[in-house]
Amino acid sequence: MRLETTRIDIGTTRPLVLLNTVDATELGAHPLDRLRIEENGTTTGIVKVTDELVEQGVLGVTEPLHHVRGPIDVALAGTPQSVQYVRKKLNDIELEDDELEAIVKDIHENRLSDIELSAYVSAVYANGLSLQETKHLTRAMTDIGRQLSWDAPVVADKHSIGGVAGNCVTPIIVSIVAAAGLTMPKTSSRAVTSPAGTADVVEVFCDVEFSMDEIESIVAEANGCLVWGGGVDLSPVDDAIIRAENPLSIDPPGQLMASVLSKKRSAGSTHVVIDIPYGEGAKVESLADSRELADDIKRVGAHLDVAVTCAITHGTEPIGHGVGPVLEARDILAVLHGEGPESLRLKSVRLAEMLLTHCGVDASAADILESGAALERFRHIVAAQDGDPDVEPDDLEPGSESTTVRAERSGVVTSVDNRQLCDLARRAGAPKDSRAGLVIHKSTADPVEPGDDLYTIYAETGNKRAAAETLAADREPIRVRSKTDALVEQR
């Protein structure tokens, strides 16, 4: 069939094509079928059928296919072989190397529909990946994208598996390690299940999207960088998978390992510290599971020739006071100034010390931070990434809409639930609304009197503030019990 084309903008990253119902009937095409488009080679689109958006004889093409110009010839195309492999994984059957490679290739080439990609993510979440599958998936995800290389024999890196509110240690660690003379080109993801990924927080200070050449220039100037990995095609399949995971708020362990380590290998990292928080409300809830995950991560890292060490840290409550891009950015600056939340300072120093030791550098992370060298290096990196190096904590204002949740009785804080706090911050608009989120006023074991502030919700609109308040009314992210009840809970 020969059709004219028209551009359609419906805000999708998928290569969708819109067929009029009459044309679809003639072709025998149904929604989610593939359409082969002959135009300077062969391109494939995923079918949507409509009565009104396009006329008979016209093919609507979405942004990924805007290069297609009519008139063009179209015909039905077969379903990608990788869809069978997704179905195989749904049936809890281990995938072969070539089957994983086919899935990765088809994700990269946008040949899977949103439903098929979600099915893949759901299959991995429900049935898991074996260590062998994880190794081959990681290698396939690494090989499909571009890779950075560096002259330095040791290239430092750090990553957290997430799940802890306000865990914004990375910019502090990069500043310390780069100030110690190591090369640390930190590429980070945006948020998956959290109210702020590292890239979301750093974007408060400066640009995070750069070309390969620009990243190399920034690192040459500042010893390090804090950029979004998705902007330079490093393990690009990971970003497509993250987009599918995000609405489901899932991050299965095998896919998590493949995600983290494919990005580290693609960034040219040689020595990596992986932070694995564990505890109630974290992604990994038991110490035994965290140790098992650490062992698996190190095995997959060795498969990629990346030296990995893991820090198993307590993740039962937030690190820092702020949750959300701007609020976490304020905590970062405060710690670099020698102030700020003590929990954030201690964890940053501990992980930086581990990374320096892992890289064979004899230097004190605490001394570098306290001397002001880390703050100076952070400002250098921000300036190199087109930001304002002189920004101060008070310059970063949260959303204008706020409400504070207060204690209704006296007692003691017996728990602070990361997952609930993250849910509240996301309901308030984070990370999309950079000034949205929470400020946490109490920690576990703190004494509480009636009327004491527990946490404050910030939003950029009244509707989102109200939505977060409604959720807060059904949750208890900061649990207060009488001293007697608290003793009973401890037993």
Side-chain angles (χ1 to χ4, degrees):
M1 179 180 288
R2 193 161 181 82
L3 299 173
E4 292 290 339
T5 60
T6 185
R7 293 185 177 188
I8 301 289
D9 184 8
I10 55 174
T12 179
T13 59
R14 317 303 294 161
L16 302 181
V17 293
L18 276 67
L19 273 174
N20 183 272
T21 302
V22 174
D23 295 326
T25 300
E26 185 176 340
L27 278 167
H30 299 90
L32 301 184
D33 281 348
R34 268 75 175 179
L35 203 64
R36 188 175 68 249
I37 303 167
E38 302 291 345
E39 193 250 359
N40 296 325
T42 301
T43 302
T44 302
I46 300 169
V47 172
K48 296 285 186 181
V49 178
T50 177
D51 289 321
E52 298 178 355
L53 291 179
V54 295
E55 298 176 354
Q56 183 180 354
V58 176
L59 181 72
V61 293
T62 55
E63 185 175 356
L65 296 173
H66 277 182
H67 62 280
V68 175
R69 299 176 183 273
I72 43 89
D73 293 314
V74 301
L76 280 180
T79 302
Q81 185 74 21
S82 64
V83 174
Q84 294 185 26
Y85 306 145
V86 171
R87 188 178 301 116
K88 182 177 175 181
K89 192 62 192 174
L90 282 166
N91 289 324
D92 198 15
I93 301 171
E94 186 165 337
L95 298 179
E96 302 294 333
D97 302 356
D98 59 334
E99 294 170 340
L100 287 164
E101 289 168 6
I103 291 172
V104 168
K105 182 180 178 182
D106 283 345
I107 293 173
H108 180 57
E109 294 178 356
N110 278 325
R111 298 189 69 206
L112 298 186
S113 69
D114 288 336
I115 290 175
E116 290 157 350
L117 183 53
S118 294
Y120 164 74
V121 169
S122 299
V124 173
Y125 176 73
N127 299 319
L129 294 170
S130 70
L131 186 60
Q132 192 72 5
E133 284 178 308
T134 302
K135 287 179 178 180
H136 289 296
L137 175 63
T138 307
R139 175 69 71 180
M141 289 174 61
T142 302
D143 292 345
I144 205 81
R146 301 176 68 184
Q147 297 185 31
L148 289 166
S149 61
W150 307 95
D151 294 332
V154 175
V155 179
D157 211 336
K158 171 268 169 191
H159 189 87
S160 173
I161 68 166
V164 177
N167 192 23
C168 49
V169 297
T170 297
I172 301 168
I173 294 169
V174 171
S175 302
I176 292 171
V177 172
L182 281 169
T183 298
M184 191 165 180
K186 184 72 179 79
T187 61
S188 301
S189 298
R190 297 191 183 276
V192 180
T193 58
S194 73
T198 298
D200 302 306
V201 176
V202 174
E203 200 167 36
V204 172
F205 298 108
C206 55
D207 294 341
V208 296
E209 296 188 32
F210 295 95
S211 68
M212 290 280 203
D213 290 343
E214 288 170 333
I215 290 174
E216 290 172 355
S217 177
I218 292 166
V219 173
E221 180 181 342
N223 270 12
C225 66
L226 290 157
V227 302
W228 176 51
V232 284
D233 207 32
L234 302 179
S235 187
V237 168
D238 180 45
D239 296 297
I241 291 171
I242 285 173
R243 284 193 293 271
E245 291 175 332
N246 209 349
L248 300 171
S249 290
I250 60 174
D251 200 6
Q255 190 64 56
L256 180 153
M257 284 188 276
S259 170
V260 171
L261 292 172
S262 65
K263 284 285 177 68
K264 300 303 109 181
R265 184 68 182 85
S266 297
S269 306
T270 63
H271 292 69
V272 183
V273 167
I274 306 291
D275 174 29
I276 305 177
Y278 79 94
E280 184 180 355
K283 285 185 179 179
V284 181
E285 296 209 342
S286 75
L287 179 59
D289 286 346
S290 65
R291 287 173 173 165
E292 182 179 349
L293 180 61
D295 288 341
D296 287 345
I297 288 174
K298 286 186 276 191
R299 291 189 186 101
V300 176
H303 179 70
L304 297 173
D305 297 321
V306 178
V308 178
T309 189
C310 295
I312 297 175
T313 60
H314 291 290
T316 52
E317 61 182 270
I319 305 296
H321 298 154
V323 182
V326 163
L327 296 165
E328 293 181 36
R330 290 201 309 185
D331 282 352
I332 290 166
L333 272 184
V335 169
L336 288 169
H337 277 283
E339 302 167 351
E342 183 67 3
S343 57
L344 180 60
R345 188 192 74 82
L346 287 174
K347 185 168 184 178
S348 299
V349 167
R350 178 194 170 190
L351 293 177
E353 198 77 43
M354 281 187 67
L355 186 52
L356 291 172
T357 301
H358 189 48
C359 294
V361 173
D362 184 14
S364 167
D367 289 348
I368 292 171
L369 180 61
E370 291 167 10
S371 70
L375 175 61
E376 182 180 351
R377 182 60 51 175
F378 177 76
R379 286 174 168 163
H380 197 167
I381 293 170
V382 168
Q385 292 184 203
D386 303 323
D388 177 7
D390 298 321
V391 65
E392 297 293 341
D394 290 343
D395 297 331
L396 304 175
E397 296 184 359
S400 58
E401 295 285 335
S402 67
T403 187
T404 298
V405 175
R406 297 180 171 87
E408 297 179 353
R409 59 180 175 176
S410 63
V412 62
V413 175
T414 59
S415 75
V416 181
D417 192 307
N418 276 304
R419 191 167 294 151
Q420 291 190 38
L421 290 169
C422 287
D423 288 346
L424 283 171
R426 288 171 67 89
R427 187 66 62 88
K432 184 177 180 181
D433 297 343
S434 65
R435 298 189 300 132
L438 308 175
V439 170
I440 301 157
H441 304 297
K442 295 293 182 182
S443 301
T444 300
D446 283 352
V448 172
E449 296 297 331
D452 282 357
D453 294 350
L454 298 179
Y455 59 93
T456 300
I457 299 169
Y458 288 96
E460 294 186 10
T461 69
N463 287 340
K464 290 184 179 179
R465 172 186 53 74
E469 287 175 350
T470 300
L471 182 61
D474 292 331
R475 303 289 180 92
E476 192 181 18
I478 298 181
R479 186 191 303 156
V480 177
R481 296 290 183 267
S482 69
K483 292 182 180 180
T484 301
D485 290 343
L487 288 172
V488 171
E489 280 192 11
Q490 291 174 0
R491 292 172 187 166

